[in-house]
Amino acid sequence: MADAAYTYDYSPALVPAADERGEGMWRWRRLLPLDGADVFPLPVGGTPLVAPPRLRAALDLPGLLLKDETRSFSGSNKDRATALCLADAARRGAPAVVAASSGNLAVSCAAGAAAVGIPAHLFVSTHTVSPHKVALMRAYGATVWRVDGPYEDAYRLSEAVCARLGWYNRNTGTNPLAVQGKKTVAFEVWEQMGRTLPDLAYVPVGDGTTIAAFVVGCEELVRCGVAARVPRVIGVQATGAAPLVAAYAAGRVDWTPVPSTTFADGIGVGDPFFGRAALEGVRRTDGEYVAVDDDAIRAAIALLAQTSGLLAEPAGAAALAGAIAHCAQHRPGEERVLVLVTGTGLKDQRWLPQGGGAAIEVGPSLDAFLAALERADGSDST
Amino acid sequence: MADAAYTYDYSPALVPAADERGEGMWRWRRLLPLDGADVFPLPVGGTPLVAPPRLRAALDLPGLLLKDETRSFSGSNKDRATALCLADAARRGAPAVVAASSGNLAVSCAAGAAAVGIPAHLFVSTHTVSPHKVALMRAYGATVWRVDGPYEDAYRLSEAVCARLGWYNRNTGTNPLAVQGKKTVAFEVWEQMGRTLPDLAYVPVGDGTTIAAFVVGCEELVRCGVAARVPRVIGVQATGAAPLVAAYAAGRVDWTPVPSTTFADGIGVGDPFFGRAALEGVRRTDGEYVAVDDDAIRAAIALLAQTSGLLAEPAGAAALAGAIAHCAQHRPGEERVLVLVTGTGLKDQRWLPQGGGAAIEVGPSLDAFLAALERADGSDST
């Protein structure tokens, strides 16, 4: 099912006209397998494209653009996939929806299921799930099955449950609608950039769905005849979970699974479900794969927050870390460089960067403040 | 300065045409004191208006609409005020921007200041601020002054600092641009509802800025000649911080300050800066003030999350709690009922509702799951 290929009768008529009505991802209904606008009640997509002047200056990247997916209903780009899957589940009258995840996918699925009124059953591993994430899933009313075993056990059980009970399977590795939903981010970037695609695009890679979908979206715009060529797409993995980086460099379409050791849980995938599509897709764009270590990701979170006012989670800032490392070697000059910011840092305080602004104790008088300010300025300049 | 009145040469020409370009709050630049689109780089406003089918059914309110302000860059409606104030500060070449707050306003100010590149100095009380909020402010690079005293001391010190050093004052009680920025939410609702205003609007009330601004926005649309009448605006306070409820019932424009005892920190204001404008504004709309206790707010958070997939903080769900209580007495029937959801619940896990979905331990086999499911279903039905 994961390889099911959706194709369309590509032509400019599938692309919304500039003055056509319709907001968010359903604006692209003619390039989707179904139009969920009347089924899925939460607005999805239509996230901002940000031109960050201070970050551009700091990195000497005058053509840098950020696609800010943190503004989605559950704070991550998983919501695009959730919307399409849950609209499908609602149309089919599914008795329940199932996902195995301990992160953003499960939280997104819980929120989307609540919105359409289908019970959500989420399978998490007791070995890896954080209590905060379980609390978030439960807040949306989902039933959380805490499976006594590693993540793979939770995943296998969720698949077995769907097979036995006929519950709707939202797992990204199984449900081809995930890629279809997520590809809409490329469409929006194209429209927000004045109906043109960027030259370079940096995309974080965990299970590979986001980057595979981004490439598909760009390719479909070319097939529709509204874009001249796809951007070079650069996949960014965390050094602690980078099986595709080595595989890509070796020209292979398979990879050696690794244990994940990165703190960036959203991309901490050592054996990606969509690895093949993620490798082949990037290769078709003449792209690259790069790895960034956890310190580089932490630095990117801090830089993004402190120059742009945009707080990302580790996986959400990984593409920026990759862009910084990669652009330092391959100066893009005036090229238009897109960085996908996939998830919010507001959701989990463990993600907050250290070493930001100072916190200073002070008495309530102006004199006390002025003395403390002088001391602080003095320590800044030493 | 707080009473500075901005007026405009009201006419339909100040309102954007349906096909006019421009997104977010700067779309309304002809009804704002300044157009910050070229100064403030973070997109602001343009938040979704949600028609939640399951919540409508649960409450028997077929005309219910939610204005979802959680989708803003720092997760709250403070960002509208921040955007206008920071655009003003940037235009003036302010050396620093100052706010006294221990909550969303400070986080919003930290984010906005980072985006425009002005150092932010935030004054918090060591008595009340949460370590998580301080960490958020610092993550955006702000300097946090932990004032040894109650909130009032932090506020007074921040005002004294601005007076002495010429730093830009973002305090809502002092800077009239806060109301000007926040009024844009009413404009957007009007446009999203097909260029018409709702019949009833429920708005949470802490310091009173949000509701005063909402009334101003509605009145300006009437003055422009594009709306027939303002909605009846219902101010919602937490029972533990409800000075305006008693004052309104007594027909007064002043109030007796109270100590705040509500858990809804965003509206836990016992002596509101904008109390007078908040009382007079609601009175002009023939509105009302209602109080909801903390349990009702907790129930509203859970109901909103579990029927609509929208997670609000306590202050953000207070207006819904008020709508539930008020509509139970005054059946609005088919009237169009707007509820303002002012801030996200993703930001702080202490805000998550209890008693949502179950968390169930289970072994990794399908048989173990099926047995556990049977037990869970059995306990549901007893």
Side-chain angles (χ1 to χ4, degrees), chain B residues 72-365:
Chain B
S72 196
F73 61 81
S74 83
S76 90
N77 71 329
K78 310 282 185 190
D79 291 342
R80 295 178 189 270
T82 289
L84 199 62
C85 292
L86 268 292
D88 184 42
R91 287 271 173 79
R92 294 171 187 269
V97 57
V98 168
S101 156
S102 51
N104 285 331
L105 191 154
V107 175
S108 173
C109 188
V116 297
I118 301 177
H121 289 265
L122 305 172
F123 291 78
V124 305
S125 160
T126 53
H127 297 196
T128 54
V129 74
S130 85
H132 176 51
K133 285 286 168 56
V134 172
L136 269 174
M137 299 171 207
R138 297 177 68 187
Y140 290 110
T143 300
V144 182
W145 295 94
R146 295 169 45 88
V147 181
D148 183 19
Y151 171 74
E152 289 71 17
D153 282 357
Y155 184 84
R156 270 192 294 268
L157 179 55
S158 75
E159 295 280 321
V161 166
C162 289
R164 171 69 73 93
L165 299 178
W167 290 359
Y168 188 88
N169 192 329
R170 157 74 180 92
N171 285 329
T172 299
T174 310
N175 193 325
L177 292 182
V179 165
Q180 293 295 303
K182 280 187 164 184
K183 74 182 182 185
T184 57
V185 74
F187 300 161
E188 291 181 12
V189 165
W190 172 83
E191 190 164 35
Q192 289 170 315
M193 289 183 67
R195 303 175 86 82
T196 178
L197 284 168
D199 301 299
L200 267 171
Y202 294 86
V203 181
V205 180
D207 65 15
T209 323
T210 296
I211 199 164
F214 183 81
V215 172
V216 166
C218 293
E219 289 175 334
E220 290 193 331
L221 292 171
V222 173
R223 280 187 201 134
C224 285
V226 299
R229 43 142 201 73
V230 300
R232 289 183 62 212
V233 177
I234 316 297
V236 182
Q237 294 208 292
T239 307
L244 303 187
V245 175
Y248 193 85
R252 285 161 47 197
V253 293
D254 54 6
W255 58 91
T256 308
V258 299
S260 168
T261 59
T262 177
F263 85 122
D265 54 352
I267 53 172
V269 181
D271 189 11
F273 279 118
F274 269 76
R276 189 182 178 108
L279 287 167
E280 291 177 340
V282 168
R283 195 162 281 127
R284 289 197 302 275
T285 75
D286 192 27
E288 286 184 52
Y289 268 89
V290 299
V292 288
D293 66 24
D294 287 359
D295 283 346
I297 294 174
R298 286 192 188 92
I301 294 174
L303 183 71
L304 185 61
Q306 290 159 26
T307 63
S308 310
L310 205 168
L311 192 62
E313 63 170 302
L320 177 62
I324 293 170
H326 188 253
C327 290
Q329 296 195 312
H330 309 77
R331 301 302 318 160
E334 301 290 320
E335 284 188 309
R336 292 157 315 160
V337 176
L338 176 76
V339 169
L340 220 56
V341 181
T342 49
T344 184
L346 292 175
K347 211 186 274 180
D348 193 333
Q349 65 187 94
R350 295 171 309 155
W351 291 334
L352 293 180
Q354 304 300 309
I360 305 171
E361 309 274 338
V362 67
S365 75

Side-chain angles (χ1 to χ4, degrees), chain A residues 265-329:
Chain A
D265 54 352
I267 53 171
V269 181
D271 189 10
F273 279 120
F274 270 76
R276 189 183 178 107
L279 287 167
E280 291 177 340
V282 167
R283 196 162 281 126
R284 289 197 303 276
T285 75
D286 192 27
E288 285 184 52
Y289 267 89
V290 299
V292 288
D293 65 24
D294 288 0
D295 282 346
I297 295 174
R298 286 192 188 92
I301 295 173
L303 184 70
L304 185 61
Q306 291 160 25
T307 63
S308 310
L310 205 168
L311 192 62
E313 63 169 303
L320 177 61
I324 293 169
H326 188 254
C327 290
Q329 297 196 310

Side-chain angles (χ1 to χ4, degrees), chain A residues 100-121:
Chain A
S101 156
S102 52
N104 285 332
L105 191 154
V107 175
S108 174
C109 188
V116 297
I118 301 177
H121 290 265

